[in-house]
Amino acid sequence: MKIPFLQNGPQKPAKMISASILRSTFDRRSVVIGAVQGGIGVLLALRLGYLSVAENEKYRLESESNRVNLTLIPPRRGWILDRNGAPLASNRADFRVDLIPERLVNAEATIDKLGELLSLEPARIADIKDKVSTARGFQPVEVASGLRYEQFAALSVRLPDLPGVVPQRGFSRFYPTASSVGHLIGYVGPASSEEYEKDPNPLLITPGYKIGKDGLEKQFEKELRGIPGARRVEVTAGGRIVRDLETREDVQGQPVKLTIDGPLQDYAARRIGLESGSVVVMDCRTGDLLCMASMPSFDPNSFSDGIGGVEYAMLRDDERVPLRNKVLKGLYPPGSTVKPMVSMALMQAGIDPDETVNCGGGLRVGNRVFGCWNRRGHGATNMAKAIYQSCDVYFYAMAQRIGMQPIADMARRCGMGQEFPLPVVSQFFGTVPDPAWKMKKWGREWQTFDTVNATIGQGYMLANPIQLAVMASRLAMGKHVMPRLTLDTQPKGFDEIDFPLEQVQYVRKAMSDVVNGPGTAGRARLPIPDVLIAGKTGTAQVVSLSISNGKSGPWKYRDHGLFIFFAPYDNPRYAGAVVIEHGGGSGAAYPIARDVMTFLFDPAKGLEALAALEAGWGGTAQQRLERRYAAYAAERGATVSRPPRRDEEIFDRVEAEARRAATQSDAIAGEVIAPRPEANPSGTPPGAPAAPATAPTAPPSPAPSAPAVENPQ
């Protein structure tokens, strides 16, 4: 028998394994494995130590955030108050709902569901969808505010099915007098992406929080903003609130106290009625601006809620430009309202006010004939008569004797062409032309006809309503009155005497005769015994007579009507200006001044007159605005274009249009201006002859075309 493993030769004997060898091998392996396990244990211990010590705060906060939610509470904005402490902008308790675009799962379906639950109009639903599609993901989009509790509750119980919907209780901005303060106060709205990039404050993207967008709301944003509160609540993993842990109350913003008289502001805005224009009233003893009404206007409550496409289109398409602040950004040829100021320049240049000029209805200057508004002439005319009868020929003749420079210097002393230190976003400050200005702007020498046009407030001369009101105040007081808008601003200028008292009294008396004597504004007399108002009418031509006679035809070609005033005439307390755009002449302006001043001295009489007028107009300004919106929405609601995505686009567009409008009269600055009748037939005192409505003029000379300019200056 052969043994298989021995067939190929002898084999190596097998190694003998003893118990000691096995023990040694096991010990070595145990040491290696133990070392590895020990190393791992040390690493785990070190990691645990690092997590529990070095990163304790990080994970504690993350753990806390899973258990606790912290939300900011938007602060209540400070109120904007009038001089008597009554609110012009306040806050009211509000149920509201917002959308956070980045949290929406199905935006279209969610918005449609909200529209059904809240009974939103189709135009409003379309606006919300448009805003959600263009908003930054984190930027809240307001759906509705001022909800009833039943609507708020019905929405709250459906939140699990509506991701991205944020209902909340809070406070919303409220403007009690609505459109009466639209331009003055401005409005609030959610911060834009650009505003958040400039100030990456979490408060700006908190649902429901709004910042000032225009007017005083924007100018006093820091004072009005306040300090946000915070709320900590314990929640489950699904986000359901278990209990409140801590709440820190917000701190309301500081109030801003204005010099504005709230009832007067509302009255003046309503009294403008169906016209387009502005009213400015000052306390000429302190410089307090009591009224800065610009109409037609917009409802700041609508803008603050997020203006819709229909309402924006209605405002945008209105030829009376309700989005423009006519007090600060309306520039107009001042017309004959400058004649008292020119008279001061004449007296200071040495002209005797008793010296007369024979007015035969016109005056030849070079090869041109400049007419007086009264083509039959005023006869022998001294300075006082030239003011209260508004004789153009007197000022043509006297202005040529002293030249333009003294008149321009006096205009600036009276506030024209000046930018006042007021807390407003911006203001246009007009033009006081003189030889140096014309050479710089047009590259042409100053001509005698330029002086003639400027001396009756035409040509290149432009002013805004505040400047006209300041001019009236300085003429009334003989002092350097400076306007102020907040009560914490110190009055300025009352220690500076600008004019000799005898000259001031002379001009005061002549301006009184404009209204109370044989002047051009008899209908401006106050229905109050022992209170006499003084003033000066003005009619400003804006287009050539070949286009319009100034009183008929397209609205935008009609003359502006102006009136400056102060009262009581012998002891001035209040002064102001009324400007009615394309009103057809001064007869559209001074009845408004009469009623506004009547309200100041006797509110009951003023309200009685206003009630009768509003009955014929179809209600208050706000009521008419609401009806017009309803009619516009019914007619064009489905076809209007969407409003600009950014508020800044609205502001830029309105400002560009205002700059273009300010240059309208430049086209006739080099022509022979045909002065319009200042003696309105219905305002002519008994016994005074009525003037003809129109008169022929000499052929116009070509004028340089005028591009849009910044502040035409």
Side-chain angles (χ1 to χ4, degrees), residues 111 203 261 374 434 585:
I111 295 171
L203 181 62
D261 184 310
N374 185 350
D434 57 25

Side-chain angles (χ1 to χ4, degrees), residues 136-436:
R136 296 280 289 269
F138 57 78
Q139 186 178 354
V141 174
E142 180 173 321
V143 175
S145 62
L147 301 177
R148 301 191 311 275
Y149 177 76
E150 294 77 10
Q151 292 176 306
F152 183 80
L155 184 63
S156 297
V157 299
R158 292 174 171 82
L159 286 182
D161 301 324
L162 297 171
V165 177
V166 183
Q168 57 185 333
R169 291 186 62 178
F171 292 89
S172 63
R173 204 60 162 164
F174 178 61
Y175 305 94
T177 53
S179 57
S180 296
V181 297
H183 292 293
L184 172 66
I185 303 299
Y187 66 96
V188 297
S192 65
S193 56
E194 293 86 353
E195 288 164 332
Y196 180 68
E197 289 170 0
K198 291 179 182 177
D199 179 17
N201 186 334
L203 181 62
L204 298 188
I205 58 174
T206 301
Y209 181 71
K210 296 179 179 180
I211 63 174
K213 290 288 187 174
D214 191 26
L216 297 178
E217 290 278 24
K218 181 176 182 179
Q219 192 68 18
F220 288 101
E221 173 63 26
K222 291 183 179 179
E223 292 84 352
L224 295 170
R225 177 174 292 190
I227 301 174
R231 181 189 181 203
R232 293 176 66 241
V233 293
E234 187 174 356
V235 296
T236 64
R240 185 173 63 86
I241 296 176
V242 177
R243 61 191 175 102
D244 282 322
L245 298 177
E246 181 184 1
T247 299
R248 186 187 71 199
E249 295 296 332
D250 64 294
V251 178
Q252 185 170 358
Q254 303 170 18
V256 173
K257 298 178 181 179
L258 305 179
T259 60
I260 295 294
D261 184 310
L264 179 65
Q265 173 80 17
D266 185 53
Y267 183 92
R270 291 167 58 186
R271 180 57 187 84
I272 292 172
L274 306 180
E275 301 284 2
S276 172
S278 56
V279 178
V280 177
V281 179
M282 294 176 60
D283 184 330
C284 51
R285 297 180 183 178
T286 61
D288 290 358
L289 286 163
L290 304 178
C291 167
M292 295 172 62
S294 171
M295 296 296 284
S297 182
F298 58 88
D299 185 353
N301 293 300
S302 295
F303 268 79
S304 295
D305 292 341
I307 190 167
V310 175
E311 187 169 2
Y312 173 72
M314 179 190 72
L315 297 172
R316 179 199 61 206
D317 296 342
D318 191 335
E319 67 176 350
R320 284 166 166 76
V321 201
L323 292 175
R324 183 188 304 162
N325 186 342
K326 298 172 179 65
V327 171
L328 296 172
K329 296 185 179 179
L331 291 177
Y332 314 93
S336 294
T337 61
V338 302
K339 289 175 180 175
M341 176 274 294
V342 175
S343 297
M344 297 295 291
L346 295 175
M347 286 189 285
Q348 296 218 351
I351 300 294
D352 183 353
D354 293 327
E355 182 180 348
T356 61
V357 170
N358 184 60
C359 173
L363 182 69
R364 178 171 293 278
V365 179
N367 60 353
R368 303 182 182 189
V369 175
F370 287 79
C372 183
W373 70 263
N374 185 350
R375 290 300 185 261
R376 291 171 296 183
H378 290 97
T381 303
N382 64 8
M383 186 179 293
K385 183 178 179 181
I387 292 174
Y388 65 69
Q389 283 290 315
S390 201
C391 176
D392 300 297
V393 168
Y394 175 89
F395 290 99
Y396 296 157
M398 292 301 186
Q400 290 183 74
R401 284 171 56 177
I402 69 171
M404 186 60 199
Q405 197 59 54
I407 296 173
D409 293 341
M410 179 60 67
R412 296 186 182 99
R413 287 176 65 185
C414 287
M416 295 183 65
Q418 305 302 298
E419 185 174 14
F420 303 114
L422 297 173
V424 295
V425 177
S426 65
Q427 57 183 302
F428 290 179
F429 44 90
T431 303
V432 175
D434 57 25

Side-chain angles (χ1 to χ4, degrees), residues 35-52:
V36 172
Q37 290 177 333
I40 293 173
V42 170
L43 290 175
L44 289 174
L46 291 173
R47 178 61 177 165
L48 286 173
Y50 174 76
L51 293 175
S52 61

Side-chain angles (χ1 to χ4, degrees), residues 546-599:
S546 62
I547 298 176
S548 170
N549 65 6
K551 290 188 177 295
S552 60
W555 176 80
K556 65 180 179 179
Y557 294 151
R558 299 176 191 173
D559 297 338
H560 297 317
L562 306 95
F563 188 65
I564 63 171
F565 58 89
F566 56 86
Y569 107 86
D570 53 348
N571 186 23
R573 175 64 190 274
Y574 304 111
V578 176
V579 178
I580 300 301
E581 293 182 329
H582 310 295
S586 59
Y590 55 74
I592 295 174
R594 174 199 63 207
D595 290 348
V596 168
M597 295 305 287
T598 299
F599 178 80

Side-chain angles (χ1 to χ4, degrees), residues 99 103-117 129 155 161-165:
L99 290 174
R103 301 180 192 172
L104 295 173
V105 176
N106 187 332
E108 291 274 337
T110 299
I111 295 171
D112 289 337
K113 184 65 174 177
L114 290 175
E116 179 185 342
L117 290 172
K129 290 180 178 179
L155 184 63
D161 301 324
L162 297 171
V165 177

